[in-house]
Amino acid sequence: MFDATVLERFGIALVSILVAILLGLLMVAAAGHNPVVFLNNLIVGAIGSERMLARTLRLSTFFIVTGVAVAIAFRAGVFNIGVQGQFVVGGLACAMSILWAAPYLPSGGLGGVGLMLIGTVAAAVSGGLYGALPGVLKAYADANEIITTIMLNFIAIGAVSWLITNPFREAGSTNVQTEPLPASVGLPPVVFGESGFSVIGLVLTLALVAVVAVVMTRTRFGYDMMTSGYQASAAVYSGVDAKRNVVATMTFSGAVAGLASALFVIMYQGRFLEPASIHTYGYDAIAVSLLAANNPLGVVPAGLLFGGLNSATSYIQIYSDVPVQLIDGIVGIVILFVAVPELFRMAARRADYGGEDE
């Protein structure tokens, strides 16, 4: 399994999903609920109507971009557990830069495009800088990036929460949120109506995935990242600056996490809310990346799976009497069955027991 090809890994993942769902249905039956009804709700909640499909695709979009952010770091041999913090920092930067720039641009469609570009750049830069911080600490102070990124998640959420609660809070609002973005800012729904999802957002996401895949596999920058991650001594011998590569990798990963938050703010929220209320896309992205064997292209089907599961979970909670704890447990089994083989493969590679990349 350690040397499995991409096709073999896809087959393993597919079988793992089917086995996990079968085990979950047995648990539902053992708990006294109808497994056939549960399976039907699972499908309907993911793709049963236009609204459900739009919700699945919206969630999938965020899982795909954050999953790519994690995959960049993992492919380079660095653990970026701080995507959630970079997502939060990028989201606030996106919203506030648009609000600050709005008075200086025209209010029509052209001004809206300009504001979205400003917000996207601000999100990518702030997310990249926040990701660079643990990279610098690892490269030049030998700090464990797993610990620093986890700690920086809490710092980001606390600091952004304070900023939204105090100086950046919408005037007169009882909710902890920024002012709403101008009406000219937003992606047209195109197909799915008022659902908080735009096909344009998904197209931009797939374009981003393609760009990252090309950078990782067809450029000198990507080659240096991969070499440093899997053959550090060989990379140093060939003249690669390993420390600078660690910082660049974390910056790249953080910038992609910032782009995810720009989509979140512009396409979905239309403002920025209390970060503690935001779904944990950055944490779930770790499982998405592992499911995709840390392959940026593989993150697309993995993100769709997670989007469908999360959408179905919300539907089942509302329209069935199955306890939420049982639903979360079944989703956890699916993630466990699919993601753990890749986690073991990464651990084996680090322990020098095999698991070379394809």
Side-chain angles (χ1 to χ4, degrees), residues 163-215:
L163 288 170
I164 297 181
T165 305
N166 295 285
F168 298 157
R169 188 170 188 164
E170 180 182 15
S173 174
T174 56
N175 298 322
V176 181
Q177 60 187 23
T178 66
E179 299 277 352
L181 303 183
S184 60
V185 174
L187 300 178
V190 183
V191 176
F192 291 98
E194 298 297 329
S195 59
F197 169 71
S198 172
V199 172
I200 296 174
L202 182 59
V203 171
L204 293 174
T205 296
L206 297 178
L208 174 65
V209 170
V211 169
V212 170
V214 169
V215 169

Side-chain angles (χ1 to χ4, degrees), residues 150-355:
I150 290 174
M151 293 177 68
L152 286 169
N153 280 339
F154 292 108
I155 293 172
I157 292 171
V160 170
S161 179
W162 182 86
L163 288 170
I164 297 181
T165 305
N166 295 285
F168 298 157
R169 188 170 188 164
E170 180 182 15
S173 174
T174 56
N175 298 322
V176 181
Q177 60 187 23
T178 66
E179 299 277 352
L181 303 183
S184 60
V185 174
L187 300 178
V190 183
V191 176
F192 291 98
E194 298 297 329
S195 59
F197 169 71
S198 172
V199 172
I200 296 174
L202 182 59
V203 171
L204 293 174
T205 296
L206 297 178
L208 174 65
V209 170
V211 169
V212 170
V214 169
V215 169
M216 296 291 289
T217 58
R218 296 287 186 271
T219 67
R220 174 62 186 270
F221 174 64
Y223 174 79
D224 289 347
M225 286 173 58
M226 300 277 288
T227 307
S228 297
Y230 292 106
Q231 297 292 337
S233 56
V236 173
Y237 183 76
S238 62
V240 175
D241 188 332
K243 292 183 178 180
R244 188 179 63 186
N245 241 15
V246 169
V247 177
T249 298
M250 293 297 286
T251 305
F252 188 21
S253 177
V256 174
L259 291 175
S261 64
L263 266 176
F264 182 73
V265 170
I266 293 172
M267 183 179 76
Y268 177 48
Q269 278 198 327
R271 66 179 78 213
F272 201 65
L273 305 178
E274 159 65 44
S277 68
I278 297 174
H279 185 86
T280 54
Y281 295 107
Y283 295 117
D284 290 350
I286 297 170
V288 172
S289 179
L290 290 174
L291 171 58
N294 302 320
N295 186 319
L297 298 178
V299 165
V300 176
L304 288 170
L305 173 65
F306 269 69
L309 286 174
N310 277 269
S311 178
T313 297
S314 301
Y315 180 86
I316 294 171
Q317 287 177 4
I318 297 173
Y319 295 103
S320 78
D321 59 350
V322 177
V324 63
Q325 294 85 354
L326 183 57
I327 300 170
D328 291 341
I330 294 170
V331 173
I333 289 173
V334 174
I335 296 172
L336 192 68
F337 268 54
V338 176
V340 161
E342 177 60 21
L343 188 62
F344 283 145
R345 193 184 71 84
M346 292 175 62
R349 187 174 60 239
R350 279 216 161 188
D352 201 23
Y353 288 129

Side-chain angles (χ1 to χ4, degrees), residues 108-135:
L110 187 60
V113 172
L115 290 173
M116 285 188 280
L117 289 175
I118 291 172
T120 301
V121 171
V125 171
S126 57
L129 291 176
Y130 204 67
L133 183 56

